[in-house]
Amino acid sequence: MIKNSAAEMSAALSSGATTSVALTQAHLDRISEVDGKVHAFLYVDTQGALEQAKKVDDARARGEKLGPLAGVPLALKDVLVQKGVPTTCGSKILEGWRPPYDSTVVTNLKNAGVVILGKTNMDEFAMGSSTENSAYGPTHNPWDLTRIPGGSGGGSSAALAAFEAPLAIGTDTGGSIRQPAAVTGTVGVKPTYGGVSRYGLVAFSSSLDQAGPCARTVLDTALLHEVIAGHDPRDSTSINAPVPQVVAAAKSGDVKGMKIGVVKELNGDGYQAGVRQRFEESLELLAQAGAEIVEVSAPNFEYALAAYYLIAPSECSSNLARFDAMRYGLRVGDTDGASAESVMNMTREVGFGREVKRRILLGTYALSSGYYDAYYGSAQKVRTLITQDFNKAFEKCDVMVSPTCPTTAFKIGEKANDPLAMYLNDIATIPVNMAGIGGMSVPSGVAPEDGLPVGFQIMSPVMQDQRMYSVGAALEAALLSKWGAPLLSQAPALGGVA
Ligand code: GLN
């Protein structure tokens, strides 16, 4: 059962073929069996999960009407708060903190009867592309345990690829849902900014952060999308409009007559040969399914990475000021007579990791008087130009596409000491966040040179998220009929669970 999709699990629950308690226990057993090797989870909430599962089973037995994902287990990225459950954001500074409230995403999951198995590993405060920046050690890619699972949400994507959970929640500030999905052969969606509430999502860069659904199939991500999305008065940036009909789009997978714009600037020499090969093949399959492939240009994407690494650190330097040793988690040096300032300094010195400190320093510098206009101000102008590029391109097409990342999963340690090389992973994903539009990564096969998964990125205009689901579902269906089995069944290591 753990190899099935969430939709199949849901059908088995409705027909009485299994119970949520049994399904949850099967996933907890799988976690005990393999997570010592994968390290997808920072915390497994065995008791809470089984209690929630029992509640759903009881409600079903009483004949209550339940949502489509009721009783299905899920892995939650450790950057979203869940009442009473440890939340660390992959940082030592939050060690021991148990939040006193639920994030809106968690409230929506609980209301839908989704069973939360536990919290997944991540780069500290979501800063990174490999999950190596976690203070609790790296997560390993189930395709090859010596490789990274992507980041920052590598725990969530690895949990899916290792069949430890059929559903997961990620967050995406510059690519942290889509890049891990690409390198683990799973599906990940960054909804339109404002489509999913940020209330209770520990802020990294508030104008870019967005939570979204992760799963092994396009339909499963759509089902989860509709559970977590919707207007929330507690988030001032939440969009007050109906949720796009993503489940219907994923079910129909109809791309006939759709115009798919290939972004000229995101498909060049910097991309691994096998990544480009899979991308071209996916385009052909979409054309065969009735879509029209056109080329579009976005000249300002070239500056997206540089602008992102000014805007995101600037916002982070302000957001992370709340970790002051007084309100949350860790407190170091609190001896008699120690000043508040020295306790704060010592706590931050010990509690924050290198990358987080680097970002705080960068951001503080970019915002300082005398440099503000030159750095932060210019970056904001670039952001507007990128949005204009998207708007212009969307006049010629319904969705835009590119490879999700330039390469397949690299080795753990390979880029750990080279921040720029690490940042370059997000070259194709960052523009989406800058413009606040929707982005999805769908598996497009494995690269012939290394046998590792490649992701296909689909981008759709603001609040037109259903379009990327139509294209994602069409590609998924075409590839499935070509391969005869889902991609993950080809995974040589833990993904290929017997
Ligand atoms: N890798 C990017 C960064 O380090 C994006 C992270 C994210 O989306 N949270 O900032």
Side-chain angles (χ1 to χ4, degrees):
M1 192 79 206
I2 61 169
K3 283 181 79 177
N4 290 5
S5 69
E8 288 163 343
M9 291 179 195
S10 167
L13 287 165
S14 315
S15 73
T18 189
T19 64
S20 179
V21 167
L23 195 58
T24 302
Q25 190 60 54
H27 284 94
L28 291 167
D29 291 347
R30 174 72 177 166
I31 293 170
S32 313
E33 187 195 334
V34 303
D35 210 51
K37 290 183 186 139
V38 180
H39 193 222
F41 284 87
L42 291 176
Y43 182 81
V44 180
D45 185 19
T46 304
Q47 201 192 333
L50 288 168
E51 275 168 19
Q52 171 77 352
K54 169 118 188 13
K55 264 206 320 221
V56 175
D57 287 341
D58 290 348
R60 200 183 300 277
R62 285 194 301 271
E64 282 178 32
K65 199 178 154 2
L66 299 170
L69 293 178
V72 180
L74 169 140
L76 182 66
K77 188 175 179 184
D78 203 25
V79 69
L80 283 142
V81 306
Q82 182 183 353
K83 189 175 176 179
V85 174
T87 299
T88 67
C89 296
S91 181
K92 285 279 181 225
I93 210 156
L94 277 173
E95 205 164 30
W97 182 57
R98 286 179 189 251
Y101 70 107
D102 279 333
S103 52
T104 298
V105 166
V106 165
T107 302
N108 291 344
L109 291 170
K110 285 183 175 173
N111 289 342
V114 176
V115 174
I116 303 174
L117 294 169
K119 309 299 290 288
T120 55
N121 199 12
M122 54 184 282
D123 286 299
E124 186 175 4
F125 288 108
M127 298 172 198
S129 307
S130 67
T131 315
E132 290 167 290
N133 294 337
S134 167
Y136 303 97
T139 296
H140 300 260
N141 190 325
W143 283 76
D144 173 350
L145 296 170
T146 67
R147 291 178 189 267
I148 58 105
S152 64
S156 286
S157 59
L160 297 170
F163 297 90
E164 295 173 88
L167 298 170
I169 297 288
T171 61
D172 192 310
T173 305
S176 284
I177 288 177
R178 290 161 288 156
Q179 184 255 7
V183 301
T184 56
T186 57
V187 184
V189 177
K190 186 207 92 78
T192 293
Y193 180 82
V196 175
S197 171
R198 286 185 301 108
Y199 179 72
L201 191 184
V202 179
F204 158 19
S205 179
S206 313
S207 75
L208 300 162
D209 298 340
Q210 189 65 189
C214 310
R216 291 187 292 259
T217 71
V218 173
L219 177 59
D220 287 356
T221 48
L223 290 165
L224 185 55
H225 188 135
E226 290 197 5
V227 165
I228 60 174
H231 180 241
D232 179 11
R234 285 177 159 149
D235 169 3
S236 61
T237 57
S238 166
I239 295 176
N240 193 356
V243 175
Q245 301 288 296
V246 297
V247 171
K251 281 185 176 161
S252 89
D254 185 6
V255 291
K256 274 188 210 76
M258 251 179 127
K259 280 197 177 147
I260 296 183
V262 178
V263 187
K264 195 171 98 190
E265 289 78 5
L266 297 181
N267 187 24
D269 291 340
Y271 291 75
Q272 187 181 320
V275 168
R276 293 182 68 180
Q277 195 180 327
R278 288 281 86 90
F279 180 65
E280 296 299 332
E281 177 192 71
S282 296
L283 289 176
E284 259 167 52
L285 291 171
L286 287 168
Q288 281 163 22
E292 185 188 338
I293 312 294
V294 297
E295 189 181 76
V296 293
S297 174
N300 294 294
F301 281 17
E302 191 187 328
Y303 311 110
L305 195 77
Y308 172 88
Y309 278 97
L310 289 166
I311 293 170
S314 296
E315 292 185 11
C316 117
S317 71
S318 159
N319 275 325
L320 270 57
R322 64 169 57 84
F323 302 109
D324 56 6
M326 304 297 143
R327 288 177 281 187
Y328 314 91
L330 190 70
R331 182 178 299 171
V332 177
D334 188 8
T335 50
D336 266 357
S339 69
E341 197 185 354
S342 81
V343 172
M344 197 189 297
N345 286 345
M346 275 193 268
T347 303
R348 286 173 170 168
E349 171 58 29
V350 175
F352 286 138
R354 279 180 72 82
E355 183 62 24
V356 171
K357 287 177 183 160
R358 184 179 359 253
R359 305 269 181 123
I360 293 172
L361 286 172
L362 265 171
T364 310
Y365 184 77
L367 291 177
S368 56
S369 75
Y371 294 105
Y372 184 96
D373 288 339
Y375 293 114
Y376 185 74
S378 308
Q380 290 291 13
K381 287 180 190 147
V382 168
R383 192 169 180 177
T384 302
L385 292 174
I386 289 166
T387 305
Q388 288 171 352
D389 277 0
F390 271 117
N391 291 344
K392 252 186 243 151
F394 280 131
E395 286 169 10
K396 294 198 197 112
C397 60
D398 301 299
V399 295
M400 288 162 70
V401 296
S402 76
T404 309
C405 353
T407 68
T408 53
F410 48 90
K411 291 267 187 196
I412 290 176
E414 193 179 318
K415 298 186 181 174
N417 297 317
D418 186 347
L420 190 59
M422 192 66 88
Y423 297 171
L424 281 166
N425 270 287
D426 302 308
I427 193 119
T429 48
I430 279 173
V432 165
N433 304 76
M434 298 290 260
I437 65 168
M440 165 189 271
S441 181
V442 198
S444 67
V446 295
E449 59 269 45
D450 53 24
L452 292 166
V454 172
F456 183 87
Q457 179 176 235
I458 310 157
M459 302 166 261
S460 53
V462 168
M463 288 306 263
Q464 298 296 328
D465 301 29
Q466 73 284 354
R467 291 190 198 167
M468 58 188 175
Y469 280 95
S470 301
V471 177
L475 179 58
E476 178 181 65
L479 286 168
L480 189 63
S481 66
K482 193 173 152 143
W483 300 328
L487 183 70
L488 273 165
S489 61
Q490 301 174 33
L494 288 160
V497 53

